[in-house]
Amino acid sequence: MRLQETLGLLFLWTLHSAVVYGWPAPEVLPGAKKLQISTAKATGALARIPRSYSLSSVHGLKPKSHLYSNKQNRLAKFNPVAKRILQATGYQKRAPEFQGVTPVLDSAQPSQLKGQETLAFQSQANSYKPNTNLFDAAALKKPLPTNRWWLNLMLEKGADPIHPYPYLVRCANNGSSIGLPKFSSTERAMTSDQVIDWQVGDNKNQLTKRLVTGADELGVQVTWTGTGAAKMNSRFYKGMAFQTFVMTQMTPILRTGHAIVSVQPLENAAADMPALSRVKLNSGAEWLIASKPAIQWKQTSGQLVGQAMYTGFVQLAHLGDKPDSNIQVLQQYAGTYATEGLVTYSKIEGSGDARSANIVLYYKTNADAGGDTSNTYDTPGVPSTNKLLSFVLPHHVDRLDSKILLSPGLTGFRSSKGPLKSIGSNSFSYMQKLETVDFTGTNPIADADKARIQEQLAKDMAKVKVSASDPYFFGKGVARVARLLQIAQEIGDTASASKLQTQVIALLQPWLVEKNNKDPLVYDDTWGGIVSTMGLQDSSADYGQGRYNDHHFHYGYFLYAAAVLAKHDINSFAPLREGASQLLRDYANPSMTDKQFPYMRQFDPYDGHSWAAGLFTFGDGRNQESTGEAINAYYAAYLYAKALGLQETADFYEIILNMEAASARRYWHPTRAQATELYGEGFKHNAIGILWSSKADYATFFGADPEFIYGIQMVPFTPATKMIITQDWVKDAWCSDQGACPDGMKTAAAHANKDGWAQFLYTAYSVVDRNFALENAMACKPDDGNSLTNTLHWILTSGQAAGPPV
């Protein structure tokens, strides 16, 4: 599937800060040209780049066990913040959405997947070492993070930016810089200019060292130290309206590359509120600056300087596109900032597709050591001294109770996922519908169709050899054979199923038991994860496997094959179980106390999807390309836990799977109208090939052909693929009116000329017209991870009959 990618693999390095030590160089100086951090262009084939870094008990906020009896409320048992919410006076009336909700999993306990203490894979050191000059090794211990959204802070020299929406932040040894990116769109991409407005530090140059000193599920902490007692600390979370810097015995200075037009002190709305100043720059940008205790800023050329030996905090917030109205909202919430973030995942009882999950994001704040115990939503116009002002993404807005959105709210703030809406609360929850998926397809196989599938299966039985030696293509191959096994079981062909089961076991044994394949998997005892031998030797080998690129893509295929084996013959699967479980723990470990693998290596609960990029630094932040393979990873995890009877773990993975699928539909699979909302009027497509922290590309890492862009968002075709192949999207993307969208799926399928990519697109069209899909998809040559049997099965069990049944 990715031969072009294999042949064309190279590294794309984005521009680093012009100044590695000392102040970060401002991207815009008066009269100077803007510096574009990213050099990647969406108009050609993008270079494939490695991606990953994860946190678990590494977190500076390592979870503690909680001693509660089984009769006590499990929401409180599994989450200390939830306990405080439950104990709040009148809680049941204020937060009915939490009633009857039980978290599905206690991430502070050992995983149900945990087996023997001894690793199933030989240990080796990674030649790419963590830069201990960038993080506190006492706070962040192995297993280390490899894919978190903020990972640029710990890679190379730590000079590239991070993207705590809606801001861009860079950190250097003597301070931090901040700006509000401006987004613009072209036909094939939405990009951001990544301009810096402010540099925050100490006027006497006392800050000389910065370290990542902690992290949790939602954010990261950075601490600056230096001479004497001078210290500065900041926690970066996505969605925060204010960026906050807590200072100890230092002389605050705010520098800008622009000219300061005016500094206007504002009256406090309440006695205990911070001091506020409205600052206007000659670029047209306006900012609200808050401080507590009050700082009497002295303005000099391009900078604001505070008093010496200051201890307190400084907050900066951009005033957006409507400064006069936005400042009315912002000044109500000045003074509160997040000190810890955590997430709970709960199921709401129901049957079939009426089931749902409740996702809750909590933040502790400085205002109350216990966090927000009321969970009420603020009344506009009423000053708030203990609530967070933050933003939510479009997929949050789609699912949360509209009462949480501020009205009037902040306007003019965007992210790479579209416009942001504001809320005033220390927590928010939203409902995620749970689509029912299983080993079998959406619809049962009609008796008349079984014979047709069996006939094709007999032909494909001669094509079960898998010759690939790298983990990605081997994984695709063994999953292809496992799909044949699953289908043979479904149609009652026990003879073929028996042969296929033997074949799948024989394929997996060299990788998971004997470790005598050409590219053995090993345990990386430097970072904490399972990587390929070739990946350790060459950072570009196996798509950056040795630096934690794409682990969920690769190992998801292994886990699917393992799940099918476990379901059909748990005894035959037994020798493979430990190796398979450790692969799953590598990319989707559900326990924060695991000392071998980080917690949920790639999944980002705020964004609702995974980041594929590993230990490689990018000016545009993290990225993910293949949503189809991401969904396959959590689908396989769900099936695997289900096959082993690990109900709590299966419930957890089912929620993660549905979150990943929902984000794929929202951000990678938009209709043309939705794409305009998210990516701007200039963007002319209804698919995203690569979504980054700060931009969106209609392209892939291995080519710009439209069949690649559409197809990589679908593969592999399993029963879970129906979660992202919706009829509305396919109709819109197929685009029979080629004048309206010349790169539509219809044209792409024709351009692919009956190869595996064309087959994917025709198969997807079966949700619109099953007969048309059968006629065209079955005439194509399958991809190396697919088969005609699987194509036929998918269309017959997931397609929509436009005419008489086939």
Side-chain angles (χ1 to χ4, degrees):
M1 189 250 300
R2 295 184 181 174
L3 292 179
Q4 299 93 335
E5 188 173 355
T6 306
L7 296 172
L9 182 66
L10 19 106
F11 293 106
L12 174 65
W13 296 100
T14 53
L15 292 178
H16 286 273
S17 171
V19 179
V20 174
Y21 299 103
W23 280 104
E27 273 71 12
V28 177
L29 296 174
K33 184 178 179 180
K34 292 180 181 178
L35 169 64
Q36 296 294 329
I37 290 180
S38 172
T39 58
K41 302 296 182 184
T43 53
L46 293 180
R48 179 72 174 177
I49 344 174
R51 349 167 167 111
S52 279
Y53 201 94
S54 287
L55 296 161
S56 65
S57 57
V58 179
H59 299 178
L61 300 168
K62 181 177 177 180
K64 300 177 181 178
S65 57
H66 306 287
L67 302 177
Y68 289 83
S69 70
N70 290 333
K71 294 182 180 180
Q72 290 173 293
N73 190 291
R74 290 182 67 211
L75 177 58
K77 173 185 174 183
F78 290 168
N79 193 311
V81 173
K83 177 189 175 185
R84 288 189 289 269
I85 292 177
L86 285 167
Q87 292 173 339
T89 303
Y91 164 77
Q92 298 293 340
K93 293 181 180 180
R94 284 194 294 263
E97 67 269 32
F98 289 105
Q99 293 183 22
V101 172
T102 301
V104 297
L105 190 75
D106 184 357
S107 61
Q109 299 300 318
S111 165
Q112 291 181 314
L113 297 169
K114 186 72 178 289
Q116 62 190 32
E117 288 297 327
T118 304
L119 287 160
F121 303 90
Q122 180 183 354
S123 293
Q124 289 190 22
N126 197 318
S127 60
Y128 185 75
K129 306 297 183 183
N131 186 347
T132 53
N133 291 321
L134 296 177
F135 70 97
D136 181 354
L140 274 69
K141 301 176 183 178
K142 193 187 78 175
L144 290 167
T146 55
N147 297 70
R148 294 301 183 196
W149 65 267
W150 47 263
L151 202 68
N152 278 352
L153 295 174
M154 287 179 57
L155 296 180
E156 304 302 325
K157 295 178 179 178
D160 276 327
I162 60 172
H163 302 85
Y165 314 139
Y167 298 106
L168 173 142
V169 169
R170 295 172 69 179
C171 296
N173 281 339
N174 59 354
S176 182
S177 54
I178 179 175
L180 184 75
K182 295 180 180 178
F183 289 87
S184 60
S185 58
T186 63
E187 180 183 348
R188 299 178 67 89
M190 182 186 72
T191 59
S192 57
D193 63 8
Q194 303 192 349
V195 173
I196 292 296
D197 274 352
W198 292 105
Q199 301 162 341
V200 183
D202 179 72
N203 190 45
K204 295 184 178 180
N205 298 318
Q206 296 181 94
L207 302 180
T208 59
K209 184 178 182 180
R210 57 94 176 189
L211 295 173
V212 172
T213 53
D216 53 45
E217 293 176 79
L218 295 170
V220 62
Q221 176 176 277
V222 179
T223 301
W224 289 263
T225 56
T227 58
K231 182 179 179 180
M232 186 168 75
N233 179 281
S234 186
R235 279 193 168 267
F236 299 111
Y237 290 101
K238 291 179 181 176
M240 295 299 134
F242 289 92
Q243 292 299 307
T244 304
F245 300 89
V246 180
M247 302 175 176
T248 302
Q249 295 191 32
M250 52 182 282
T251 305
I253 184 171
L254 306 180
R255 287 193 176 106
T256 179
H258 308 283
I260 299 174
V261 176
S262 62
V263 179
Q264 176 189 357
L266 304 176
E267 279 191 33
N268 284 340
D272 60 346
M273 294 289 282
L276 304 173
S277 296
R278 180 175 179 171
V279 181
K280 186 173 184 178
L281 306 178
N282 70 342
S283 63
E286 294 193 52
W287 290 77
L288 179 65
I289 299 175
S291 60
K292 187 177 181 181
I295 294 177
Q296 305 301 320
W297 297 105
K298 295 180 180 179
Q299 180 183 347
T300 61
S301 178
Q303 60 188 30
L304 300 175
V305 181
Q307 56 263 41
M309 300 298 290
Y310 177 78
T311 295
F313 63 81
V314 174
Q315 294 182 301
L316 296 92
H318 199 283
L319 296 186
D321 64 345
K322 296 181 179 179
D324 290 340
S325 58
N326 284 338
I327 198 170
Q328 299 299 318
V329 179
L330 283 160
Q331 62 185 347
Q332 297 175 40
Y333 295 88
T336 302
Y337 55 88
T339 59
E340 182 180 348
L342 58 157
V343 185
T344 63
Y345 306 88
S346 309
K347 273 191 172 181
I348 306 300
E349 295 301 323
S351 59
D353 286 337
R355 298 174 308 124
S356 62
N358 192 36
I359 318 302
V360 187
L361 282 72
Y362 300 96
Y363 297 93
K364 283 186 183 179
T365 74
N366 63 308
D368 178 355
D372 177 14
T373 57
S374 67
N375 203 51
T376 56
Y377 309 125
D378 292 336
T379 303
V382 177
S384 173
T385 58
N386 64 351
K387 301 291 178 61
L388 285 173
L389 179 61
S390 61
F391 295 99
V392 288
L393 293 168
H395 78 279
H396 299 141
V397 175
D398 293 343
R399 294 171 177 82
L400 53 75
D401 188 332
S402 61
K403 71 179 181 180
I404 196 174
L405 298 176
L406 290 178
S407 180
L410 298 174
T411 64
F413 295 89
R414 297 184 63 85
S415 72
S416 59
K417 293 180 171 67
L420 302 173
K421 301 290 185 180
S422 55
I423 63 173
S425 179
N426 293 4
S427 66
F428 70 92
S429 66
Y430 65 94
M431 306 301 291
Q432 174 64 60
K433 178 183 176 182
L434 296 180
E435 296 188 42
T436 300
V437 291
D438 208 336
F439 285 90
T440 58
T442 306
N443 304 313
I445 304 172
D447 290 339
D449 291 330
K450 289 183 179 180
R452 184 174 181 180
I453 294 174
Q454 188 159 15
E455 180 183 356
Q456 184 60 56
L457 176 63
K459 297 176 183 177
D460 286 339
M461 286 288 291
K463 305 173 185 177
V464 295
K465 182 179 179 181
V466 179
S467 58
S469 60
D470 68 283
Y472 178 68
F473 283 103
F474 172 81
K476 290 182 62 178
V478 72
R480 168 174 54 82
V481 181
R483 279 296 296 150
L484 295 178
L485 167 57
Q486 171 61 32
I487 293 168
Q489 288 280 1
E490 287 183 42
I491 63 174
D493 185 350
T494 55
S496 294
S498 179
K499 293 177 182 178
L500 289 163
Q501 177 177 305
T502 300
Q503 178 70 6
V504 175
I505 292 173
L507 288 169
L508 286 177
Q509 275 184 328
W511 289 81
L512 301 183
V513 180
E514 297 161 3
K515 324 296 190 313
N516 59 0
N517 54 298
K518 293 182 180 179
D519 188 10
L521 299 176
V522 297
Y523 179 78
D524 169 16
D525 60 12
T526 301
W527 293 88
I530 298 170
V531 298
S532 68
T533 299
M534 293 298 295
L536 277 186
Q537 295 171 357
D538 180 354
S539 62
S540 65
D542 300 340
Y543 305 107
Q545 239 269 357
R547 292 207 190 172
Y548 295 91
N549 261 19
D550 303 352
H551 276 208
H552 58 327
F553 298 167
H554 296 196
Y555 297 153
Y557 287 113
F558 283 75
L559 262 296
Y560 177 79
V564 172
L565 280 179
K567 174 180 181 290
H568 293 297
D569 190 342
I570 191 66
N571 293 325
S572 297
F573 172 69
L576 302 166
R577 177 170 178 168
E578 193 62 39
S581 292
Q582 289 181 21
L583 281 189
L584 178 52
R585 285 165 59 201
D586 174 87
Y587 75 84
N589 174 28
S591 172
M592 291 186 181
T593 60
D594 196 317
K595 295 182 180 180
Q596 295 166 327
F597 302 96
Y599 176 71
M600 295 302 290
R601 185 183 297 281
Q602 288 160 302
F603 188 74
D604 186 325
Y606 181 87
D607 286 80
H609 65 77
S610 300
W611 295 113
L615 300 178
F616 295 83
T617 182
F618 308 98
D620 292 308
R622 303 292 93 192
N623 65 67
Q624 177 157 274
E625 179 185 56
S626 178
T627 56
E629 289 174 319
I631 286 158
N632 181 64
Y634 300 115
Y635 171 58
Y638 166 64
L639 294 183
Y640 183 78
K642 186 175 181 180
L644 295 183
L646 309 178
Q647 190 58 52
E648 288 183 359
T649 305
D651 287 344
F652 174 72
Y653 287 142
E654 184 182 23
I655 295 173
I656 301 298
L657 166 62
N658 277 270
M659 291 174 70
E660 187 86 35
S663 288
R665 292 191 301 267
R666 190 67 165 100
Y667 302 122
W668 280 264
H669 292 197
T671 63
R672 279 170 287 176
Q674 291 168 339
T676 298
E677 169 211 352
L678 298 177
Y679 307 119
E681 293 285 346
F683 189 77
K684 301 299 182 184
H685 299 280
N686 42 22
I688 294 297
I690 311 169
L691 188 59
W692 301 73
S693 300
S694 63
K695 70 173 183 175
D697 284 325
Y698 181 75
T700 73
F701 285 112
F702 54 94
D705 291 350
E707 58 266 33
F708 301 161
I709 298 165
Y710 286 112
I712 200 63
Q713 306 309 330
M714 302 175 182
V715 298
F717 274 82
T718 70
T721 313
K722 186 70 180 293
M723 300 173 76
I724 55 172
I725 306 294
T726 65
Q727 190 178 86
D728 286 346
W729 178 64
V730 172
K731 282 182 176 179
D732 190 80
W734 194 260
C735 196
S736 297
D737 179 5
Q738 295 306 295
C741 47
D743 289 342
M745 203 182 290
K746 180 179 180 180
T747 301
H751 182 263
N753 195 26
K754 297 187 177 181
D755 69 2
W757 294 103
Q759 187 173 66
F760 296 144
L761 305 191
Y762 287 126
T763 302
Y765 196 73
S766 67
V767 300
V768 178
D769 187 336
R770 189 171 71 176
N771 293 345
F772 176 85
L774 279 170
E775 178 183 350
N776 288 276
M778 295 301 289
C780 296
K781 181 181 179 180
D783 168 75
D784 48 12
N786 197 20
S787 66
L788 286 173
T789 299
N790 185 52
T791 298
L792 179 62
H793 176 275
W794 202 92
I795 293 173
L796 293 176
T797 59
S798 299
Q800 175 72 34
V806 177

